[in-house]
PDB file of all heavy atoms in Angstrom:
ATOM      1  N   GLY A 199      66.198 -34.387  67.518  1.00 97.00           N
ATOM      2  CA  GLY A 199      65.548 -33.094  67.669  1.00 97.00           C
ATOM      3  C   GLY A 199      64.433 -33.136  68.683  1.00 97.00           C
ATOM      4  O   GLY A 199      64.381 -34.029  69.534  1.00 97.00           O
ATOM      5  N   VAL A 200      63.545 -32.179  68.578  1.00 98.00           N
ATOM      6  CA  VAL A 200      62.422 -32.058  69.512  1.00 98.00           C
ATOM      7  C   VAL A 200      61.126 -31.962  68.721  1.00 98.00           C
ATOM      8  O   VAL A 200      60.909 -31.000  67.979  1.00 98.00           O
ATOM      9  CB  VAL A 200      62.570 -30.816  70.422  1.00 98.00           C
ATOM     10  CG1 VAL A 200      61.364 -30.709  71.363  1.00 98.00           C
ATOM     11  CG2 VAL A 200      63.867 -30.897  71.222  1.00 98.00           C
ATOM     12  N   ILE A 201      60.280 -32.963  68.854  1.00 98.00           N
ATOM     13  CA  ILE A 201      58.959 -32.934  68.226  1.00 98.00           C
ATOM     14  C   ILE A 201      58.075 -31.968  69.006  1.00 98.00           C
ATOM     15  O   ILE A 201      58.052 -31.996  70.253  1.00 98.00           O
ATOM     16  CB  ILE A 201      58.338 -34.348  68.228  1.00 98.00           C
ATOM     17  CG1 ILE A 201      59.146 -35.274  67.314  1.00 98.00           C
ATOM     18  CG2 ILE A 201      56.877 -34.306  67.794  1.00 98.00           C
ATOM     19  CD1 ILE A 201      58.755 -36.743  67.426  1.00 98.00           C
ATOM     20  N   ARG A 202      57.355 -31.132  68.297  1.00 98.00           N
ATOM     21  CA  ARG A 202      56.463 -30.179  68.942  1.00 98.00           C
ATOM     22  C   ARG A 202      55.009 -30.590  68.708  1.00 98.00           C
ATOM     23  O   ARG A 202      54.600 -30.806  67.565  1.00 98.00           O
ATOM     24  CB  ARG A 202      56.711 -28.762  68.416  1.00 98.00           C
ATOM     25  CG  ARG A 202      58.094 -28.257  68.734  1.00 98.00           C
ATOM     26  CD  ARG A 202      58.297 -26.796  68.337  1.00 98.00           C
ATOM     27  NE  ARG A 202      59.624 -26.345  68.713  1.00 98.00           N
ATOM     28  CZ  ARG A 202      59.966 -25.909  69.933  1.00 98.00           C
ATOM     29  NH1 ARG A 202      59.057 -25.853  70.873  1.00 98.00           N
ATOM     30  NH2 ARG A 202      61.208 -25.535  70.179  1.00 98.00           N
ATOM     31  N   VAL A 203      54.290 -30.695  69.793  1.00 98.00           N
ATOM     32  CA  VAL A 203      52.856 -31.035  69.763  1.00 98.00           C
ATOM     33  C   VAL A 203      52.082 -29.806  70.214  1.00 98.00           C
ATOM     34  O   VAL A 203      52.437 -29.187  71.222  1.00 98.00           O
ATOM     35  CB  VAL A 203      52.537 -32.217  70.702  1.00 98.00           C
ATOM     36  CG1 VAL A 203      51.055 -32.566  70.652  1.00 98.00           C
ATOM     37  CG2 VAL A 203      53.376 -33.442  70.337  1.00 98.00           C
ATOM     38  N   VAL A 204      51.052 -29.447  69.465  1.00 98.00           N
ATOM     39  CA  VAL A 204      50.246 -28.275  69.811  1.00 98.00           C
ATOM     40  C   VAL A 204      48.786 -28.707  69.957  1.00 98.00           C
ATOM     41  O   VAL A 204      48.184 -29.227  69.009  1.00 98.00           O
ATOM     42  CB  VAL A 204      50.349 -27.165  68.748  1.00 98.00           C
ATOM     43  CG1 VAL A 204      49.605 -25.918  69.215  1.00 98.00           C
ATOM     44  CG2 VAL A 204      51.798 -26.847  68.438  1.00 98.00           C
ATOM     45  N   ILE A 205      48.235 -28.486  71.140  1.00 98.00           N
ATOM     46  CA  ILE A 205      46.829 -28.785  71.404  1.00 98.00           C
ATOM     47  C   ILE A 205      46.038 -27.497  71.213  1.00 98.00           C
ATOM     48  O   ILE A 205      46.310 -26.480  71.856  1.00 98.00           O
ATOM     49  CB  ILE A 205      46.634 -29.321  72.837  1.00 98.00           C
ATOM     50  CG1 ILE A 205      47.476 -30.587  73.037  1.00 98.00           C
ATOM     51  CG2 ILE A 205      45.159 -29.595  73.115  1.00 98.00           C
ATOM     52  CD1 ILE A 205      47.511 -31.068  74.473  1.00 98.00           C
ATOM     53  N   GLY A 206      45.070 -27.541  70.323  1.00 98.00           N
ATOM     54  CA  GLY A 206      44.335 -26.332  69.979  1.00 98.00           C
ATOM     55  C   GLY A 206      43.143 -26.057  70.873  1.00 98.00           C
ATOM     56  O   GLY A 206      42.714 -26.926  71.654  1.00 98.00           O
ATOM     57  N   PRO A 207      42.591 -24.871  70.769  1.00 98.00           N
ATOM     58  CA  PRO A 207      41.377 -24.533  71.522  1.00 98.00           C
ATOM     59  C   PRO A 207      40.232 -25.468  71.118  1.00 98.00           C
ATOM     60  O   PRO A 207      40.068 -25.785  69.930  1.00 98.00           O
ATOM     61  CB  PRO A 207      41.083 -23.087  71.106  1.00 98.00           C
ATOM     62  CG  PRO A 207      42.389 -22.573  70.567  1.00 98.00           C
ATOM     63  CD  PRO A 207      43.076 -23.748  69.956  1.00 98.00           C
ATOM     64  N   PRO A 208      39.425 -25.924  72.073  1.00 98.00           N
ATOM     65  CA  PRO A 208      38.297 -26.803  71.742  1.00 98.00           C
ATOM     66  C   PRO A 208      37.324 -26.121  70.789  1.00 98.00           C
ATOM     67  O   PRO A 208      37.107 -24.907  70.853  1.00 98.00           O
ATOM     68  CB  PRO A 208      37.651 -27.062  73.100  1.00 98.00           C
ATOM     69  CG  PRO A 208      38.715 -26.795  74.107  1.00 98.00           C
ATOM     70  CD  PRO A 208      39.557 -25.699  73.522  1.00 98.00           C
TER      71      PRO A 208
END
Side-chain angles (χ1 to χ4, degrees):
V200 179
I201 293 170
R202 297 186 178 277
V203 180
V204 186
I205 302 171

